[in-house]
Amino acid sequence: MKIIFAGTTEFGIPTLEKLKKQNELVLIITQPDKPAGRDKKLAPSPIKLWAQKNNIPLIQPEKIIESKSQISDYEPDLLLVAAYGQIIPKEILDIPKFKSINIHGSILPKYRGASPIQSAILNGDNVTGITLIQMDEKMDHGPMLAVKSLPLDETITFPELYQKMGVLAADLVDETLPKWFAGAISPVEQDHAAATFCKPIERADAKIDWAKTAMEINRKIRSFNPEPGTWTTLSGKPIKILSAEVIKDHKIELPGKIYAFNGEPAVKCMENALLLKKVKPDGKNEMSGKDYLNGLRSLNDKIFV
């Protein structure tokens, strides 16, 4: 089958690796190069780099509708979309013979939108998964073709889950496409009344509120690192909290108060405390919590806000 793939992040790479073995990848669509790093140089997406490495035709339209005639010229059997980053209009979705399928990182209709993987960690879910849907003109709205679930625990981080979800997506696509092409799948309408939505994550969302419980804060830390990075301030200067552990400790009653616990910095929360394992003070490199504690000359009046 002739497949066009639209995606931008490394989430889609395990799927691409499987697709190229079973089908003909005729075109890859990804976002234009974006400024990255401190020097803001234009950087290619991981999907662009993969396409170039595998010598597959590539386009990077500012708006995908601009490439309608080019997409039609390939006479594709399927458009497969994974973390592309643009809303695709219906006149593009209807071009392929077998229409268009989106790979979504949650069990729909839960967590439609931009941050489903982070949201599952943030909300303490014990299961998440991948849903394949037949795309329509609304975001994550189309009928479901297949679902594959993945159990979660209270230790998994976003990078770990992101990698697992990419592999899970590749397996589900591999299992589902032959059935879809054979006409053996009947799409199932989502329960739209039960839909929940998650928005893009901004830096302000990642600020820590020490008046929350230690478990809630730790979920945020595991959800929002490495980007945008959970943060707080000490004496007016920002510090990123990159990794922590919940400890059952009630010695300090003031949320945000820093104190020593077995040679590492701990921070009192509204319930229990967080043991800081890895931090990044403003203008400095990442360091262990122990090294950070050693750099604090005194813990008197040291309170994160």
Side-chain angles (χ1 to χ4, degrees):
M1 294 292 180
K2 294 192 295 183
I3 295 178
I4 293 177
F5 180 90
T8 299
T9 74
E10 60 271 22
F11 178 80
I13 290 177
T15 295
L16 284 169
E17 291 288 348
K18 290 209 170 188
L19 285 176
K20 73 176 183 177
K21 296 176 183 177
Q22 304 289 342
N23 300 277
E24 183 184 0
L25 274 168
V26 295
L27 178 68
I28 288 179
I29 307 170
T30 193
Q31 294 276 48
D33 295 0
K34 303 289 186 183
R38 290 185 177 180
D39 53 9
K40 299 298 181 182
K41 288 185 178 179
L42 290 179
S45 73
I47 296 297
K48 177 179 180 177
L49 295 175
W50 189 93
Q52 292 173 331
K53 178 182 176 181
N54 289 273
N55 298 311
I56 296 171
L58 173 81
I59 59 173
Q60 297 176 271
E62 289 286 346
K63 295 182 178 179
I64 194 170
I65 192 63
E66 300 166 357
S67 301
K68 179 183 175 182
S69 61
Q70 193 172 2
I71 292 169
S72 296
D73 289 344
Y74 279 96
E75 299 181 343
D77 292 301
L78 181 74
L79 170 62
L80 186 65
V81 181
Y84 174 49
Q86 287 190 34
I87 298 293
I88 303 177
K90 191 174 188 298
E91 53 194 299
I92 297 287
L93 300 176
D94 288 344
I95 290 173
K97 179 180 178 181
F98 292 92
K99 305 300 181 183
S100 301
I101 293 175
N102 181 51
I103 304 170
H104 185 73
S106 77
I107 299 177
L108 290 169
K110 193 174 188 180
Y111 302 141
R112 293 179 182 175
S115 54
I117 298 177
Q118 295 96 326
S119 295
I121 299 174
L122 188 65
N123 293 324
D125 293 355
N126 57 18
V127 66
T128 188
I130 297 291
T131 307
L132 302 186
I133 62 170
Q134 183 177 347
M135 297 179 72
D136 60 20
E137 62 272 26
K138 297 180 181 180
M139 180 183 290
D140 304 326
H141 177 275
M144 300 181 293
L145 310 182
V147 177
K148 202 175 188 75
S149 62
L150 180 71
L152 298 178
D153 60 34
E154 281 286 353
T155 64
I156 197 162
T157 64
F158 171 73
E160 293 167 345
L161 183 55
Y162 195 79
Q163 188 274 333
K164 288 186 176 183
M165 293 281 273
V167 173
L168 189 72
D171 291 341
L172 186 57
V173 167
D174 197 45
E175 295 167 9
T176 304
L177 288 193
K179 300 174 187 176
W180 180 242
F181 293 142
I185 293 177
S186 297
V188 177
E189 193 75 10
Q190 294 185 44
D191 180 0
H192 301 298
T196 62
F197 296 84
C198 51
K199 68 181 186 68
I201 297 166
E202 300 176 355
R203 185 175 183 272
D205 299 319
K207 188 176 190 305
I208 295 173
D209 178 1
W210 297 101
K212 300 289 187 180
T213 69
M215 181 172 286
E216 288 175 303
I217 296 170
N218 195 40
R219 286 173 181 166
K220 178 174 280 195
I221 292 168
R222 292 186 291 111
S223 302
F224 293 168
N225 282 302
E227 292 294 336
T230 42
W231 60 281
T232 186
T233 61
L234 179 64
S235 302
K237 294 184 178 180
I239 174 173
K240 286 188 175 182
I241 310 299
L242 304 179
S243 177
E245 293 178 4
V246 176
I247 54 174
K248 293 184 177 181
D249 189 53
H250 301 277
K251 294 179 189 175
I252 308 297
E253 295 303 322
L254 183 62
K257 173 65 178 174
I258 307 169
Y259 64 104
F261 184 91
N262 294 336
E264 294 181 287
V267 188
K268 183 68 183 75
C269 308
M270 184 55 70
E271 179 183 301
N272 293 319
L274 279 182
L275 194 64
L276 306 187
K277 307 301 289 187
K278 187 182 294 185
V279 303
K280 185 183 184 305
D282 187 42
K284 297 182 179 180
N285 295 327
E286 291 182 15
M287 64 180 67
S288 69
K290 186 173 292 187
D291 287 341
Y292 178 68
L293 180 65
N294 290 338
L296 295 175
R297 295 182 179 179
S298 169
L299 292 179
N300 291 335
D301 300 321
K302 292 292 192 298
I303 300 174
F304 285 139
V305 294

